[in-house]
């Protein structure tokens, strides 16, 4: 079941990433996007997407969607929120949030 969810999530994620000229999906077993040496999204092996957001956007997103901080391998990933299926399955919303994540990550000091 997790494999099917992962494949479906990957297809949705890829459909949004491929349409943005500044995005490139990287990683094979754990797909992610990055800019200036900072990741701004990642897809966990169970098909759950995490996205980096500013503090204000994170707080509003968690309240609006009733989700929490994104975790990976049992650790909280700083500045990331877990993206619910309601957003992942809505290409328009996913595009907006991923673009906002990218714009926020551009404000971070390059590595």
């Amino acid at each position: 079941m997790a494999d099917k969810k992962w494949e479906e999530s990957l297809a949705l994620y890829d459909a949004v990433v491929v349409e943005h000229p500044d995005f490139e999906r990287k990683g094979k077993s754990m797909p992610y996007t990055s800019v200036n040496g900072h990741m701004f999204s990642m897809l966990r092996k169970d098909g759950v997407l995490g996205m980096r957001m500013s503090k204000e956007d994170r707080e509003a997103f968690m309240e609006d969607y009733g989700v929490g901080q994104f975790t990976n391998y049992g650790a909280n990933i700083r500045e990331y929120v877990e993206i619910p299926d309601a957003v992942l399955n809505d290409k328009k919303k996913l595009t907006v949030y991923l673009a906002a994540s990218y714009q926020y990550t551009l404000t971070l000091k390059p590595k």
Side-chain angles (χ1 to χ4, degrees):
M1 183 73 164
D3 288 336
K4 183 177 180 181
K5 176 165 175 49
W6 189 86
E7 289 173 9
E8 291 171 351
S9 297
L10 179 61
L12 294 165
Y13 182 56
D14 280 346
V16 170
V17 171
V18 75
E19 289 186 5
H20 197 288
D22 296 323
F23 297 173
E24 176 186 357
R25 181 175 66 84
K26 302 173 183 176
K28 291 183 183 182
S29 63
M30 183 162 316
Y32 69 95
T33 55
S34 66
V35 63
N36 294 334
H38 297 281
M39 292 192 332
F40 62 94
S41 69
M42 69 175 78
L43 185 64
R44 218 168 45 201
K45 292 183 184 215
D46 62 357
V48 175
L49 181 63
M51 223 178 274
R52 175 175 257 154
M53 294 184 182
S54 69
K55 181 179 179 182
E56 297 78 19
D57 287 347
R58 264 192 330 272
E59 290 172 353
F61 189 89
M62 289 190 291
E63 186 174 319
D64 289 348
Y65 290 101
V67 295
Q69 189 171 4
F70 181 73
T71 61
N72 198 25
Y73 294 109
N76 288 333
I77 307 300
R78 190 171 56 91
E79 297 190 317
Y80 274 69
V81 295
E82 187 170 304
I83 304 301
D85 288 343
V87 174
L88 185 64
N89 293 315
D90 184 327
K91 190 174 180 182
K92 187 175 180 179
K93 283 182 182 178
L94 187 59
T95 299
V96 168
Y97 285 117
L98 195 57
S101 178
Y102 173 77
Q103 289 300 320
Y104 168 66
T105 306
L106 282 174
T107 69
L108 303 176
K109 182 180 177 182
K111 287 186 174 183

